[in-house]
Amino acid sequence: MAAPVSLQVEFGGGAELLFDGVKKHQVTLPCQPEPWDIRNLLKWIKQNMLKERPELFLQGESVRPGILVLINEADWELMGELDYKLQDQDNVLFISTLHGG
Amino acid sequence: RGCGPRSAGGSASCAGCASGWRPSWRGGDTAEQEEDGERERDEAACGARQPSAAEPARGDAGDAEDEDGARGLRERLAAELARGDSGDADEEDEDDDEEEEEGSLGFPAELPPLPARSALSAAEILRYSRQLVLPELGVRGQLRLARSSVLVVGCGGLGCPLAQYLAAAGVGRLGLVDHDVVETSNLQRQVLHGEARRGRPKARSAAAALRRLNSAVQYVPYRGALRPRSALRLVRQYDIVADCSDNVPTRYLVSDACVLAGKPLVSGSALRLEGQLAVYNYRGGPCYRCLFPRPPPPDTVTNCADGGVLGAVTGIIGCLQALEVLKIASGMGSSLSGYMLMFDALEGRFRNIKLRPRKADCAVCGDSPSVTCLQDYEAFCGSCATDKCRALQLLPGADRVSVQQYKALLDARVPHVLLDVRPPVEAEICRLPHALHIPLRSLQDRDQESLQRLQNRIGEEKQRTDDQTPLPVYVVCKLGNDSQKAVKILQELPAEEFGSVVAKDIKGGLMAWATKIDSTFPQY
């Protein structure tokens, strides 16, 4: 049984607009048999934070193209992507890439 | 003569170089050239920066012997490129003439390479003195800048400050690409274009403004969009590319062209109160496609017209881009390869994010690339290579009216409700006085208080008419996209609560109203 995990979940680059315009969220993930990974976090976000139009944030079990996921200020690619096991007090940032100029 | 290691060096501490060289230019041109050659050798002996493989290739060894021929070539080129430099009015006229010529030919033919140089003139020394005394730049760095060419893709909010600082710093040549003309709503952030330039091509306007700033730089305006068929030829002619564009297809096009041509790409973007900066395809680092192998769904992309942007934010990102270009061009090297710098203006915060390395399976820069020539990026991204607002077509024609039709029924005093669904911030800019304002967001959320207000207004209007007739609700927004989404929501509302409501949207929205019906209505 994994202990609850407290995270700072942040959204930026416009992704926050899908979360009532709030950029920083303190999140506590409840106890569950499996350890929390990013895959489960995305499901949890979909159920608990994302009220509508999930297609603007998610695609399949991952984020949609154009959203960078950063775990403790590093590209999630370097951390195992969906399989990264979340640690207490991790910072997870979802940033929508900008194209304007 | 000798001097210490570079970390301790600089013009002040490198006494041998400085004292041995400084008096020489006072002695005249001949002395200058001789002395300069010596200085070049001195610096090499001092262990100054060596060009790396990723830097623009230059024949340092041939500097001195090419100097005379190169000068003549440079003067001819400068004369040709600087035509129309005598005054603003003339300049504009000549600009326009050249433009026509260029338009028929497409992009101009191959540019001659910038001449290698081994010395700065006295005037250049004075002009660039504040940066020449920086040990990190120095004469050697300045000479490298003078031999560098930079292609600026997009002369808008990022391209203007970027080009301004590159021109001021004395880069050799600036290619300026933009397909658009200057509009009033550009002036808030596109700081090279003045009021008098409205309606002029941005590439020309930028070149004219930059020429006033530094006439020694060669400016090559390209009026037209960067296209897959011409991009590679263009990119190959420049040492460094700055992506200052405003749309997704162009970002993929520029990145792929840079990979295929082997050029470093300094990429900036900004929207609302945020900006992002990265250096791609530089010293073995990732390219844009390594990060974003698949383009974002078109629905998720917001442009500056819809999302808004503050000029100071594009200015900050454009200046940061200029800084990275200058570092690469002068030989300092960029520290941002493999990193993305993110700026949040509201928080006043920068984050430097470590990115993944180059991907071995990247479609363009990977070990076995599938993209070996430029493609159709509009098809790849499912969107146009501009930042113009898209016109959605969500409703059948019968559910839409034109602004002229709406004006006619307004004049005929036909009972109806006009529902304005723009965000509150836009409704504060301007509105039609008789409109009921409920943001689309509130309709999407089925906000009870908002729906009650709508129901009340419908009730009031219905009292003025025969209850049997369905009351029309006309929905308006800025451009006629959100209004269609709102109509779809209204059409699904329960009839028992709202009675018989016929919802239609006004095509083209309030901006069409402003252009076709009431010219005093503000446009934004």
Side-chain angles (χ1 to χ4, degrees):
Chain A
M1 197 73 174
V5 180
S6 287
L7 306 173
Q8 174 150 275
V9 176
E10 291 187 69
F11 302 96
E16 73 279 5
L17 299 176
L18 299 169
F19 300 88
D20 291 329
V22 180
K23 287 186 169 176
K24 288 184 184 176
H25 301 253
Q26 287 298 332
V27 163
T28 303
L29 303 173
C31 292
Q32 65 162 29
E34 300 294 313
W36 283 98
D37 57 17
I38 298 283
R39 185 181 282 105
N40 292 326
L41 173 66
L42 290 176
K43 282 183 201 155
W44 187 90
I45 286 174
K46 184 177 179 183
Q47 282 159 12
N48 295 278
M49 298 176 73
L50 195 57
K51 284 165 192 124
E52 57 183 296
R53 304 217 284 163
E55 73 279 6
L56 296 184
F57 188 68
L58 300 168
Q59 197 173 94
E61 65 172 4
S62 191
V63 292
R64 66 154 172 87
I67 290 183
L68 267 185
V69 185
L70 305 158
I71 301 166
N72 301 326
E73 313 249 315
D75 190 343
W76 72 332
E77 254 265 342
L78 303 165
M79 317 284 280
E81 296 197 33
L82 291 168
D83 296 322
Y84 171 78
K85 299 282 182 287
L86 288 159
Q87 311 291 313
D88 201 48
Q89 304 306 320
D90 272 351
N91 177 292
V92 185
L93 169 62
F94 298 93
I95 197 131
S96 180
T97 50
L98 308 175
H99 305 96
Chain B
R1 284 189 275 183
C3 60
R6 208 176 80 69
S7 57
S11 61
S13 60
C14 186
C17 296
S19 62
W21 182 69
R22 275 210 180 117
S24 66
W25 59 262
R26 293 189 188 118
D29 270 346
T30 319
E32 182 190 344
Q33 279 177 35
E34 285 170 9
E35 204 52 47
D36 284 339
E38 195 177 332
R39 177 167 167 76
E40 280 281 302
R41 288 190 295 277
D42 275 350
E43 284 206 342
C46 291
R49 304 153 213 98
Q50 298 298 318
S52 81
E55 284 166 15
R58 292 179 191 118
D60 274 7
D63 280 3
E65 61 194 59
D66 288 350
E67 185 63 17
D68 279 346
R71 274 213 177 145
L73 185 63
R74 188 167 73 239
E75 276 156 22
R76 284 203 305 279
L77 234 184
E80 198 159 314
L81 290 167
R83 260 188 302 156
D85 206 32
S86 48
D88 269 1
D90 289 353
E91 188 175 43
E92 280 292 338
D93 289 339
E94 282 195 36
D95 281 351
D96 287 350
D97 290 346
E98 283 175 40
E99 223 164 81
E100 291 311 315
E101 207 177 297
E102 216 174 79
S104 57
L105 293 170
F107 288 155
E110 292 283 307
L111 298 161
L114 284 164
R117 298 177 54 193
S118 59
L120 295 172
S121 68
E124 286 172 320
I125 288 171
L126 178 61
R127 175 164 201 144
Y128 303 117
S129 55
R130 295 299 181 273
Q131 64 197 45
L132 283 177
V133 299
L134 293 171
E136 292 82 358
L137 188 86
V139 172
R140 196 181 176 88
Q142 189 68 47
L143 287 169
R144 283 180 168 170
L145 289 186
R147 278 179 291 169
S148 293
S149 57
V150 181
L151 185 66
V152 181
V153 181
C155 300
L158 299 167
C160 283
L162 167 103
Q164 191 171 24
Y165 278 90
L166 295 184
V171 298
R173 180 183 289 155
L174 281 175
L176 302 160
V177 183
D178 206 300
H179 69 281
D180 224 344
V181 295
V182 178
E183 293 173 31
T184 303
S185 63
N186 298 150
L187 302 178
Q188 147 267 12
R189 66 189 185 286
Q190 304 184 12
V191 292
L192 286 178
H193 314 302
E195 291 170 4
R197 307 284 188 187
R198 280 176 286 195
R200 305 272 188 187
K202 285 185 189 176
R204 291 272 158 200
S205 165
L210 293 166
R211 208 173 279 133
R212 278 198 300 274
L213 171 62
N214 190 346
S215 58
V217 177
Q218 294 176 10
Y219 303 102
V220 190
Y222 303 99
R223 186 196 175 185
L226 197 68
R227 302 252 179 240
R229 63 183 151 75
S230 54
L232 198 53
R233 193 163 62 91
L234 200 57
V235 165
R236 283 206 172 109
Q237 297 180 52
Y238 289 85
D239 298 321
I240 303 167
V241 179
D243 185 350
C244 302
S245 70
D246 56 14
N247 64 84
V248 188
T250 302
R251 292 197 178 269
Y252 279 97
L253 166 62
V254 173
S255 177
D256 284 2
C258 284
V259 171
L260 296 176
K263 307 291 181 178
L265 170 61
V266 180
S267 178
S269 59
L271 188 70
R272 299 191 185 95
L273 292 161
E274 289 181 74
Q276 296 169 354
L277 176 75
V279 175
Y280 296 114
N281 195 44
Y282 178 65
R283 293 188 173 166
C287 78
Y288 188 71
R289 270 196 203 247
C290 292
L291 248 68
F292 307 108
R294 288 188 299 152
D299 288 357
T300 65
V301 177
T302 307
N303 62 17
C304 289
D306 284 346
V309 67
L310 203 59
V313 174
T314 50
I316 286 165
I317 299 299
C319 285
L320 284 169
Q321 271 183 287
L323 178 61
E324 293 310 307
V325 169
L326 290 173
K327 281 159 64 182
I328 294 171
S330 66
M332 287 182 226
S334 173
S335 49
L336 277 181
S337 176
Y339 286 84
M340 182 181 282
L341 191 63
M342 298 178 172
F343 174 57
D344 184 326
L346 217 50
E347 291 187 29
R349 178 177 178 186
F350 286 96
R351 286 181 207 248
N352 202 359
I353 300 295
K354 185 165 170 50
L355 298 174
R356 65 200 69 179
R358 183 185 74 87
K359 302 274 286 174
D361 62 351
C362 175
V364 63
C365 79
D367 295 340
S368 43
S370 56
V371 177
T372 52
C373 59
L374 297 177
Q375 306 183 316
D376 181 345
Y377 294 87
E378 294 188 330
F380 175 64
C381 299
S383 55
C384 292
T386 77
D387 77 333
K388 303 297 180 216
C389 300
R390 293 180 305 147
L392 298 179
Q393 196 64 258
L394 303 175
L395 297 175
D399 288 350
R400 314 193 71 187
V401 297
S402 67
V403 284
Q404 290 90 347
Q405 286 170 312
Y406 180 71
K407 176 71 164 60
L409 65 92
L410 202 59
D411 290 343
R413 297 179 175 276
V414 175
H416 73 282
V417 170
L418 178 66
L419 178 63
D420 181 342
V421 296
R422 292 172 301 151
V425 68
E426 293 184 34
E428 279 175 30
I429 295 171
C430 55
R431 58 197 297 176
L432 289 173
H434 62 287
L436 171 69
H437 176 239
I438 298 176
L440 174 65
R441 185 73 210 222
S442 302
L443 293 176
Q444 286 170 332
D445 290 347
R446 307 294 192 274
D447 176 63
Q448 282 309 307
E449 191 255 321
S450 300
L451 291 176
Q452 191 61 51
R453 283 169 56 221
L454 176 61
Q455 209 173 352
N456 292 348
R457 178 67 79 90
I458 291 172
E460 286 166 24
E461 290 297 324
K462 274 205 167 183
Q463 283 177 352
R464 303 185 195 185
T465 179
D466 166 15
D467 267 1
Q468 303 309 308
T469 321
L471 187 90
V473 176
Y474 292 98
V475 185
V476 73
C477 64
K478 182 184 176 187
L479 292 165
N481 290 334
D482 280 356
S483 55
Q484 296 181 70
K485 295 175 190 167
V487 165
K488 281 184 167 274
I489 293 170
L490 295 182
Q491 287 172 342
E492 290 163 8
L493 289 177
E496 56 270 25
E497 286 175 48
F498 287 85
S500 45
V501 172
V502 176
K504 295 188 180 197
D505 100 296
I506 299 177
K507 278 186 279 186
L510 290 169
M511 295 306 99
W513 182 263
T515 52
K516 292 173 183 158
I517 305 296
D518 179 3
S519 62
T520 67
F521 193 86
Q523 295 183 51
Y524 64 93

